[in-house]
Amino acid sequence: MTVDGLVDRTRTAVRIAVLALLWGSTFLWIEVALEALAPVQVTFARCLLGAATLLAVCLGSGRRLPRGRTVWGGIVVAAFFCNALPFALFSFGQQSIDSGIAGVLNATTPLWSLLIGVAAGAERRRLRPSRVSGLLLGFAGVVLISAPWQATGAGEAGGSGGAGTGAGAAGWGALAVVGAAASYAVGFLVMGRLAGRGIPTLSLSSAQLLAATVLTAPTLAAGGLTPVDLSPRQLVAVVVLGVVATGVTFHLTYRNIAAEGATSTATVGYLLPVVSVALGVVVLHEDFSLRTGLGMAVVLAGVGLTRRAPRPPAPDADHRPDPPHPRAHHPRAHHPRAHHSRPTPTTPNTAPARTEDR
């Protein structure tokens, strides 16, 4: 591997690690914000703060928002599937499940992204056996952490906001989060096509969060117009959720999609259980078990396989080039004067002579 290639891979790995840390903390901030805000308020607030942050940086750096009806049509579609819809589903889902479990279920995004990418023909050429094995292994780790064969008790079904208790409410919350993960996969595919247009990723991410803010504003009519009373802790959670976990994280996501593709970016989701579960245990005192630890180890192994570079074909040591030999059936092919033979003289009665006379 060349030095430039090593530097590029190191930068990508650092960007993915930072993205996983910021993205994985999102579920913690949502959990705290839901203590004082309705789900639609959390969704709108993070879109608004994220859009304001990126617009300030975009316009302050002299860049402009994208132009063209076709481009903005794609931006609106991406904003719906990658921002407005999943943000709302996460907020509703975390009313009945813990933040760590939400991060674990969101780790199914790479599997959805792979399936959708293969169906759309965007990832077929890069679908190596190691990537498929890594995705399946990562999904197995997610299943091990979530343990769907066990009845969900009150410890994992409490969530925030008191929306529901018991296995029934947690089941609907888990289904909402899985739906958000699938929506992310669709949004990543659309964002991958937008990133291939040569538009700066900062302009695209700013425009997309602006569109998501417009899309989520009407939902405030459904329980989002109630008075808000935030404690300092909850206010910090809302600001960090919008500025850092939404604005900065979303821009890094766009840059990684432009550099690595939609499916590779979606594999960051496999690192989220590690961050979300760790923050849930340390900050929110959520439960942690040996099964969860083993599942996270399996997830990391799966990520390693998906990030593994393909090996170049090894040269055959026993193969030796055949010595040159004359071809019996093409004697003129290797004759030293084959390419310098004299042309056949033409007579006055040939066709070229009659053409010149005319």
Side-chain angles (χ1 to χ4, degrees), residues 27-121:
F27 309 100
L28 168 66
W29 307 122
I30 292 176
E31 194 83 7
V32 177
L34 285 172
E35 296 175 358
L37 300 179
V40 292
Q41 291 174 328
V42 174
T43 303
F44 177 74
R46 64 182 298 192
C47 289
L48 178 63
L49 292 174
T53 301
L54 292 186
L55 282 173
V57 177
C58 179
L59 300 179
S61 61
R63 293 180 175 86
R64 297 185 300 180
L65 294 179
R67 296 183 178 181
R69 185 176 302 177
T70 303
V71 174
W72 272 98
I75 289 175
V76 171
V77 173
F80 176 78
F81 284 106
C82 201
N83 303 113
L85 179 59
F87 290 179
L89 291 176
F90 281 126
S91 298
F92 279 102
Q94 283 193 235
Q95 288 185 305
S96 56
I97 63 174
D98 284 344
S99 63
I101 301 301
V104 168
L105 295 176
N106 182 69
T108 60
T109 297
L111 182 60
W112 294 109
S113 182
L114 177 65
L115 295 176
I116 294 173
V118 171

Side-chain angles (χ1 to χ4, degrees), residues 143-195:
V143 173
L144 182 59
I145 295 174
S146 59
W149 56 86
Q150 295 181 352
T152 307
E156 293 182 351
S160 298
T165 58
W172 284 110
L175 184 62
V177 173
V178 171
S183 183
Y184 267 149
V186 178
F188 285 168
L189 183 61
V190 180
M191 289 167 60
R193 295 179 177 177
L194 290 172

Side-chain angles (χ1 to χ4, degrees), residues 83-325:
N83 303 113
L85 179 59
F87 290 179
L89 291 176
F90 281 126
S91 298
F92 279 102
Q94 283 193 235
Q95 288 185 305
S96 56
I97 63 174
D98 284 344
S99 63
I101 301 301
V104 168
L105 295 176
N106 182 69
T108 60
T109 297
L111 182 60
W112 294 109
S113 182
L114 177 65
L115 295 176
I116 294 173
V118 171
E123 298 287 347
R124 291 177 183 175
R125 294 183 178 180
R126 302 175 64 182
L127 190 61
R128 303 186 301 270
S130 60
R131 298 190 69 196
V132 176
S133 300
L135 289 170
L136 295 179
L137 186 62
F139 182 73
V142 171
V143 173
L144 182 59
I145 295 174
S146 59
W149 56 86
Q150 295 181 352
T152 307
E156 293 182 351
S160 298
T165 58
W172 284 110
L175 184 62
V177 173
V178 171
S183 183
Y184 267 149
V186 178
F188 285 168
L189 183 61
V190 180
M191 289 167 60
R193 295 179 177 177
L194 290 172
R197 290 178 172 267
I199 304 173
T201 54
L202 182 58
S203 300
L204 286 174
S205 55
S206 302
Q208 188 167 322
L209 280 182
L210 177 62
T213 305
V214 175
L215 290 174
T216 56
T219 63
L220 293 175
L225 301 178
T226 56
V228 175
D229 184 15
L230 294 173
S231 67
R233 172 175 174 267
Q234 295 162 348
L235 178 60
V236 169
V238 173
V239 173
V240 174
L241 174 64
V243 175
V244 180
T246 300
V248 176
T249 301
F250 186 63
H251 175 56
L252 290 177
T253 301
Y254 238 125
R255 288 190 62 182
N256 208 65
I257 287 177
E260 293 289 311
T263 301
S264 296
T265 301
T267 58
V268 179
Y270 278 156
L271 295 173
L272 301 189
V274 181
V275 179
S276 63
V277 172
L279 291 178
V281 170
V282 174
V283 180
L284 301 176
H285 307 290
E286 297 175 350
D287 294 334
F288 182 81
S289 62
L290 178 61
R291 170 179 49 80
T292 303
L294 292 176
M296 288 193 297
V298 175
V299 165
L300 290 175
V303 172
L305 283 177
T306 58
R307 302 299 306 167
R308 185 177 180 182
R311 292 183 178 181
D316 189 357
D318 297 332
H319 178 73
R320 296 290 186 273
D322 295 333
H325 58 277

